[in-house]
Amino acid sequence: MIPRIALTPGEPAGIGPDITLAAAGQAWNAEIVAVCDPELLRTRARQLNLAVDLVEFEPNAAPQPHQPGTLKVRPIALAASCTAGSLNPANAQYVIDTLHCAVDGCMDKTFSAMVTAPVQKSIINDAGIAFSGHTELLAERTGTARVVMMLACDELRVALATTHLPLRDVPDAITGELLSETLHIVHSDLQSKFGIAAPRIAVLGLNPHAGEGGHLGHEEIDVIIPALEQLKRQGLQLLGPLPADTAFNRKALANCDAVFAMYHDQGLPTLKYAGFGNAVNITLGLPVIRTSVDHGTALDLAGAGKAAPDSLFTALRTALDMSTNDLRTSA
């Protein structure tokens, strides 16, 4: 069972093509298919003095393990020429088209998973295309009502109840319905896509000291604890709510498979301290497997041979492991 993984290089002027070419130089027990303009890769390979044999993707052929120095490509043409480090809004729709192609291919089972390199949200919006991020586009394209962002590194997995919200809006967003839906998604995907039979999830409180019995806020008493008790009765193994300032210690983490944080900057600073550059962004709750790098387009590094591909390698390994688990479950 060889997974076939779609890789979207993201913003063509950024480091996405560079790290895609770096991935092509490695051995993978999966078929890697770059969804992009092959001429973009050829131009960037010459700029980086890299040798890579680009082969047009044949969807009807059986998947084969990736061979270093080669790369299969599902061609999608750029709208305009591309210079490394120089954004061009004319290519914004091209970026969207590569994402649509990859996710549609996952939906029809052409691909087992998709891995995304970084995009430049600002230039897509400058082109007049409403775009708030990969996650929202993939949720809309697949008709998914609720998704969960989870970042992971070797030592830690952190899932988020809320993502890109101003802090003043977070307490109102934390409802029993939200906690029930998102924790069920985390529990289910840890089982099906990570092979963890009985996931243990540490849930952080919203307030300092998890509210300190109501002295530092009532969200734990009024919303979080009742929701967790109901979920425990449904069979979920949940710890908490825990004070966020003491939850991230090795002894506590040894007894859980993931940490569930209430908001973005409550959980991710620790995760990124532990694994920045080697972490992976995973979208849970989708009907497809999607992983991504944990960094941006780094326009100043594009074409300079200085882009570190470690996060992309981690994203590919994670997608490979998740899709292998998925294939075994489906067999």
Side-chain angles (χ1 to χ4, degrees):
M1 295 186 293
I2 303 297
R4 175 181 281 153
I5 298 175
L7 170 56
T8 57
E11 168 52 49
I15 63 170
D18 304 43
I19 58 179
T20 296
L21 291 165
Q26 306 294 304
W28 303 96
N29 192 31
E31 184 172 89
I32 310 299
V33 180
V35 182
C36 66
D37 190 323
E39 191 55 38
L40 168 68
L41 295 181
R42 290 191 187 96
T43 301
R44 195 65 60 87
R46 287 193 294 269
Q47 191 170 351
L48 297 170
N49 197 28
L50 295 175
V52 60
D53 181 19
L54 302 181
V55 180
E56 186 164 346
F57 169 55
E58 292 288 346
N60 295 323
Q64 299 295 324
H66 176 78
Q67 298 300 312
T70 69
L71 185 60
K72 293 182 179 177
V73 181
R74 163 61 170 88
I76 294 182
L78 284 165
S81 61
C82 175
T83 300
S86 180
L87 294 170
N88 187 343
N91 285 321
Q93 186 60 52
Y94 156 83
V95 174
I96 300 298
D97 290 344
T98 64
L99 295 173
H100 285 171
C101 178
V103 70
D104 291 350
C106 288
M107 291 291 285
D108 68 19
K109 305 302 182 184
T110 299
F111 303 119
S112 305
M114 63 183 291
V115 176
T116 58
V119 298
Q120 189 84 14
K121 295 179 188 179
S122 60
I123 200 68
I124 297 174
N125 285 298
D126 287 347
I129 300 171
F131 180 80
S132 55
H134 280 107
T135 303
E136 293 80 5
L137 179 146
L138 298 177
E140 180 180 357
R141 191 75 173 180
T142 59
T144 306
R146 177 85 70 188
V147 294
V148 177
M149 178 189 291
M150 183 172 79
L151 269 72
C153 62
D154 290 341
E155 301 177 45
L156 184 61
R157 299 184 187 99
V158 176
L160 302 177
T162 63
T163 52
H164 302 121
L165 283 181
L167 273 180
R168 68 171 62 249
D169 295 338
V170 171
D172 290 340
I174 303 297
T175 64
E177 180 183 11
L178 173 83
L179 295 176
S180 178
E181 291 180 1
T182 51
L183 280 164
H184 270 297
I185 288 170
V186 176
H187 173 84
S188 176
D189 277 17
L190 287 173
Q191 287 182 317
S192 64
K193 295 174 180 173
F194 289 85
I196 302 171
R200 300 162 300 174
I201 304 169
V203 180
L204 305 183
L206 173 66
N207 295 296
H209 301 179
E212 205 166 271
H215 295 287
L216 293 175
H218 286 266
E219 286 83 2
E220 285 76 14
I221 294 173
D222 295 341
V223 178
I224 299 173
I225 292 173
L228 299 191
E229 291 302 319
Q230 182 180 23
L231 291 168
K232 289 176 186 177
R233 290 193 292 270
Q234 295 171 11
L236 275 66
Q237 295 191 50
L238 306 174
L239 307 172
L242 304 175
D245 63 339
T246 57
F248 291 100
N249 67 78
R250 294 187 184 279
K251 184 177 180 180
L253 294 175
N255 294 316
C256 69
D257 299 297
V259 176
F260 185 81
M262 292 294 145
Y263 56 94
H264 188 280
D265 282 15
Q266 182 186 54
L268 296 192
T270 301
L271 183 286
K272 293 198 174 186
Y273 176 78
F276 190 76
N278 292 287
V280 57
N281 186 342
I282 306 162
T283 307
L284 305 181
L286 291 171
V288 303
I289 294 169
R290 180 259 174 162
T291 68
S292 184
V293 296
D294 70 343
H295 57 74
T297 54
L299 295 169
D300 57 323
L301 300 180
K306 298 178 180 179
D310 301 329
S311 183
L312 179 64
F313 291 0
T314 303
L316 282 165
R317 285 193 297 269
T318 303
L320 197 163
D321 290 344
M322 292 173 69
S323 54
T324 299
N325 281 325
D326 199 46
L327 288 170
R328 286 172 180 162
T329 303
S330 303

